Amino acid sequence: AGYKLFIVLAGDKSSLRRQSQERINQAFDLVNGVNNRQDMLIQSPTHRDDYDGGDSFMSAFMCAHRLRYGKEYRNIVVIKKNVHLLNRLIKDLGQLRQWCRDHVGRGFDFSSDYNCMIIDDEADYASLDTNPLGSPSPIHADLIELRESLPRNCYAAYTATPQGCLSSNPNDPVGYPKDFFWLLEPFVEEVN
């Protein structure tokens, strides 16, 4: 579908984030967070740890590598639903946006270079606004800010317990399945 940035929101537990990251690493044959095959060019700045901002946005999104070698990687960030981590990612995306503006003459465009698919695992946990009558809950507010920081993004959420999601505000950009929802049926073999 042309997405170049994927953000996987992997619950709030390190074990779930690590499990999701391991699946990404295996699915895309990432070695030290990178697959350099010409038909792939995928990298994950979170291949070892959560997105804590230890690296700059330049290294997290391989900007210098792109300038030097002209290789455009698809980026996969697997991150916990944690206020500190989400704020760091939002800050780095803001810096990345400015960097793209500064290098627009070299063919960089934040909107098209980092169009994003946000995948929310366990969408009923922490993503929903648990304070609809007042200020939004912190994680929910950060997820809205994350979406607003990316000019082109799609938010896909899944959960085994959608009751909270279905009772959310239909105009909310995070948590409510206003476009569609799909009930997954358990597999059953037909006999006779």
Side-chain angles (χ1 to χ4, degrees), residues 123-190:
D124 61 323
Y125 184 80
S127 300
L128 301 176
D129 186 7
T130 57
N131 190 19
L133 301 177
S135 298
S137 50
I139 298 292
H140 184 77
D142 284 343
L143 294 180
I144 290 172
E145 188 176 352
L146 176 65
R147 290 203 69 191
E148 290 172 349
S149 72
L150 296 157
R152 295 174 58 197
N153 70 77
C154 180
Y155 174 82
Y158 58 93
T159 181
T161 52
Q163 295 84 349
C165 299
L166 294 174
S167 64
S168 296
N169 179 348
N171 297 316
D172 198 323
V174 172
Y176 184 81
K178 69 180 178 182
D179 295 321
F180 65 89
F181 67 93
W182 190 282
L183 181 62
L184 297 177
E185 296 287 340
F187 177 78
V188 178
E189 273 195 48
E190 283 189 42

Side-chain angles (χ1 to χ4, degrees), residues 4-189:
K4 298 178 183 171
L5 172 61
F6 297 85
I7 299 172
V8 179
L9 303 167
D12 73 333
K13 305 272 186 286
S14 292
S15 58
L16 181 56
R17 194 216 74 83
R18 197 169 27 258
Q19 178 186 53
S20 297
Q21 183 69 57
E22 286 170 3
R23 289 178 177 159
I24 296 289
N25 292 348
Q26 290 172 355
F28 296 104
D29 296 323
L30 300 183
V31 177
N32 293 322
V34 177
N35 184 326
N36 278 314
R37 272 190 15 218
Q38 205 55 33
D39 62 333
M40 282 276 196
L41 292 179
I42 296 173
Q43 74 93 19
S44 178
T46 56
H47 70 280
R48 281 195 198 117
D49 294 311
D50 212 331
Y51 195 91
D52 65 359
D55 293 333
S56 71
F57 76 94
M58 291 283 292
S59 60
F61 295 98
M62 296 183 73
C63 298
H65 194 83
R66 184 170 171 201
L67 277 174
R68 181 175 289 148
Y69 303 110
K71 291 183 176 182
E72 187 175 349
Y73 287 85
R74 287 189 171 28
N75 300 275
I76 304 173
V77 175
V78 182
I79 187 171
K80 286 192 308 252
K81 295 180 196 178
N82 171 290
V83 170
H84 168 73
L85 300 173
L86 289 169
N87 286 332
R88 179 57 194 230
L89 177 60
I90 292 165
K91 177 184 172 221
D92 283 358
L93 288 170
Q95 291 176 325
L96 182 61
R97 176 194 296 256
Q98 185 58 51
W99 185 83
C100 286
R101 281 187 192 134
D102 294 344
H103 292 84
V104 73
R106 296 183 79 171
F108 292 89
D109 176 44
F110 183 75
S111 181
S112 62
D113 292 347
Y114 297 96
N115 52 346
C116 182
M117 168 65 78
I118 301 169
I119 302 168
D120 191 348
D121 186 3
E122 301 297 342
D124 61 323
Y125 184 80
S127 300
L128 301 176
D129 186 7
T130 57
N131 190 19
L133 301 177
S135 298
S137 50
I139 298 292
H140 184 77
D142 284 343
L143 294 180
I144 290 172
E145 188 176 352
L146 176 65
R147 290 203 69 191
E148 290 172 349
S149 72
L150 296 157
R152 295 174 58 197
N153 70 77
C154 180
Y155 174 82
Y158 58 93
T159 181
T161 52
Q163 295 84 349
C165 299
L166 294 174
S167 64
S168 296
N169 179 348
N171 297 316
D172 198 323
V174 172
Y176 184 81
K178 69 180 178 182
D179 295 321
F180 65 89
F181 67 93
W182 190 282
L183 181 62
L184 297 177
E185 296 287 340
F187 177 78
V188 178
E189 273 195 48

